[in-house]
Amino acid sequence: MDHLAIALENQYGAHNYAPLPVVLVKGEGVYVWDDQGKRYLDMMSAYSAVSHGHANPRILQAMIEQAKTLGVTSRAYHNRLLGKLFEKLCKITGQDRMLPMNTGAEAVETALKAARKWGYEKKGIPANQAEIICCANNFHGRTIAIVGMSSEPQYRQGFGPFPPGFIQVPFGDAQALEQAITANSCAFLVEPIQGEGGIILPPDGYLKACENLCRQHNVLLLCDEVQTGLGRTGKWFAHQHEQVKPDGLIVGKALGGGLYPVSAFLAKEEVMRCFHPGDHGSTFGGNPIACAIALEALSILEESDLIANSAKLGEYFKAELQKISSSLIKEVRGRGLFIGIEIDIQQRSARSICEALLQEGLLSKETHDCLIRLAPPLIISKEQIDDALEIIRRVFAG
Ligand SMILES: *Cc1c(COP(=O)(O)O)cnc(C)c1O
């Protein structure tokens, strides 16, 4: 192993991550290689950012061509691709307008700002009184406002004071949402399936019930699909499993095709109309390289069967995992190629299982001590899923 690379990270880097002990040097398709030439099946996909596979040739080509032609310009000027990206993603999502950012957290912040402004300008909430309702166990990123919404002590500890105006309700409980809504509520922010929280699926009908409550009380329904969007759960967006239409939608991760940070907030007209020139922005958001990459990433999803593949192989993968008989496994759950194995941590930590999987050539990552997340690139084949299953069965047998 390249111990120097690791030593340098340890000596000069902030210790805000605890990586598994492997140094990756190359990626192609569903595979990555370490510095010793050992190949791994990537079942983590950079937290779903690599849905199109590593070094996807079409996206790579689009990126290189655009980088040679025109790179970063800022939004002080127009470029030829931005409008095309707006149109494409609006048509795909059914939203009216798009605001481009780079990371998921920035797009979430954009949604929070839009919701508050809409609350004051359209709903008539008194100045500085707007409330945004969020869910316990959420993950929306790492900015101060966002960790202020978190129920995870480690995300918050030492980072206060936090902005006011966020109300937390239990996830999966529409009645709790109803009770939390007041005349000052401007939005309800929710992940249709909680990702970092541990691949938590709410009860069937939850999102639909939330949508109805939001409509009834003139509250915006904001779906954070940074991780669940773009085919991950077997549909374009996870909210489509319940025929819900959010008032605002947050997309990121896979929108960057595994090569670049690209995120977006999309919303209906009356929400996005609240932004005027100078209200909000980003130096890199919507730059030509980002647009070229995102356009290609979306075209691939439109033209290929990756989303259907996610639905079909996800069902197969989950069913096969559920057949594994091991006292270590408490539950296997998920939707599409977004699957978690919950481990009985009284017996063994999820981390130690991830380390064993790594030894066997499979990359995964624990979340919340007890869950192993399996979210391979959507280009994965049934044969490659079978390879993964063989490794997983071996690790749980050993
Ligand atoms: C990863 C994630 C984010 C934050 O995205 P970053 O690009 O890491 O800022 C926000 N929301 C959800 C649901 C995520 O999974």
Side-chain angles (χ1 to χ4, degrees):
M1 204 188 317
D2 189 341
H3 291 286
L4 179 60
I6 295 176
L8 283 174
E9 285 189 21
N10 282 336
Q11 186 176 349
Y12 292 105
H15 288 185
N16 59 328
Y17 276 91
L20 288 163
V22 61
V23 180
L24 301 177
V25 297
K26 179 183 154 70
E28 198 182 309
V30 297
Y31 298 108
V32 292
W33 284 262
D34 72 11
D35 56 315
Q36 305 297 300
K38 180 173 167 181
R39 192 181 78 170
Y40 302 84
L41 187 52
D42 185 1
M43 287 258 152
M44 225 285 272
S45 315
Y47 302 94
S48 301
V50 189
S51 285
H52 299 78
H54 292 278
N56 183 291
R58 279 182 59 177
I59 303 174
L60 199 55
Q61 182 65 20
M63 180 184 195
I64 292 168
E65 283 304 313
Q66 189 55 46
K68 284 199 253 176
T69 309
L70 180 65
V72 174
T73 54
S74 89
R75 295 287 306 279
Y77 315 100
H78 294 283
N79 73 63
R80 279 189 157 155
L81 297 178
L82 188 58
K84 287 186 185 165
L85 177 59
F86 289 170
E87 180 186 33
K88 194 179 197 67
L89 201 47
C90 283
K91 287 193 168 154
I92 287 170
T93 59
Q95 298 291 335
D96 297 324
R97 291 181 184 273
M98 165 175 156
L99 196 156
M101 298 297 278
N102 312 283
T103 65
E106 291 171 310
V108 171
E109 288 274 348
T110 303
L112 301 177
K113 288 173 79 173
R116 283 182 169 181
K117 206 139 194 271
W118 172 88
Y120 300 125
E121 292 188 356
K122 301 281 180 195
K123 188 168 171 173
I125 296 173
N128 297 321
Q129 299 299 307
E131 291 170 354
I132 292 173
I133 304 169
C134 59
C135 291
N137 197 45
N138 70 60
F139 184 85
H140 298 294
R142 299 290 200 161
T143 66
I144 297 252
I146 291 172
V147 298
M149 287 190 294
S150 177
S151 59
E152 176 62 38
Q154 201 199 349
Y155 297 167
R156 302 166 54 88
Q157 188 67 43
F159 299 126
F162 301 112
F166 298 103
I167 312 289
Q168 214 172 77
V169 296
F171 179 65
D173 181 348
Q175 221 176 348
L177 170 63
E178 181 159 35
Q179 282 161 10
I181 292 174
T182 73
N184 290 341
S185 306
C186 61
F188 173 54
L189 172 65
V190 64
E191 299 159 85
I193 297 174
Q194 290 187 327
E196 299 310 297
I199 320 269
I200 311 285
L201 287 84
D204 286 341
Y206 169 66
L207 208 60
K208 195 73 199 171
C210 293
E211 181 187 45
N212 290 337
L213 288 170
C214 286
R215 298 281 178 275
Q216 204 178 317
H217 297 278
N218 195 24
V219 170
L220 301 176
L221 174 65
L222 305 177
C223 289
D224 181 348
E225 296 238 24
V226 169
Q227 192 157 171
T228 51
L230 303 179
R232 177 51 58 193
T233 71
K235 288 191 185 288
W236 270 96
F237 293 98
H239 65 260
Q240 292 167 336
H241 291 287
E242 294 198 353
Q243 288 92 44
V244 161
K245 182 154 192 295
D247 303 298
L249 179 65
I250 305 153
V251 189
K253 294 197 168 112
L255 188 58
L259 288 169
Y260 206 79
V262 189
S263 69
F265 172 59
L266 296 114
K268 62 182 186 182
E269 181 73 19
E270 75 165 47
V271 176
M272 209 64 101
R273 274 282 175 193
C274 295
F275 283 128
H276 302 288
D279 283 356
H280 186 55
S282 161
T283 302
F284 286 92
N287 76 69
I289 299 174
C291 292
I293 288 170
L295 277 165
E296 198 64 19
L298 293 170
S299 292
I300 290 170
L301 292 176
E302 284 178 320
E303 293 158 19
S304 70
D305 58 358
L306 289 189
I307 297 177
N309 196 48
S310 174
K312 197 174 85 208
L313 288 184
E315 274 311 302
Y316 170 73
F317 194 19
K318 188 172 71 176
E320 290 300 309
L321 290 168
Q322 283 169 338
K323 286 181 198 161
I324 297 176
S325 157
S326 164
S327 68
L328 293 175
I329 300 178
K330 280 177 123 175
E331 190 184 25
V332 175
R333 57 176 179 260
R335 187 163 285 161
L337 284 169
F338 196 45
I339 297 174
I341 305 177
E342 190 175 333
I343 301 300
D344 178 4
I345 54 166
Q346 305 300 336
Q347 297 185 55
R348 198 169 161 188
S349 72
R351 170 88 181 190
S352 83
I353 294 170
C354 288
E355 284 167 0
L357 290 167
L358 179 75
Q359 283 297 320
E360 299 287 331
L362 189 149
L363 289 191
S364 64
K365 182 78 172 82
E366 81 280 4
T367 170
H368 278 266
D369 298 336
C370 64
L371 196 99
I372 298 169
R373 174 187 2 217
L374 299 169
L378 307 185
I379 58 165
I380 198 165
S381 68
K382 176 163 180 300
E383 291 67 37
Q384 289 162 334
I385 298 258
D386 286 331
D387 291 345
L389 282 164
E390 210 178 297
I391 292 172
I392 295 165
R393 287 189 196 107
R394 197 155 63 227
V395 164
F396 278 103

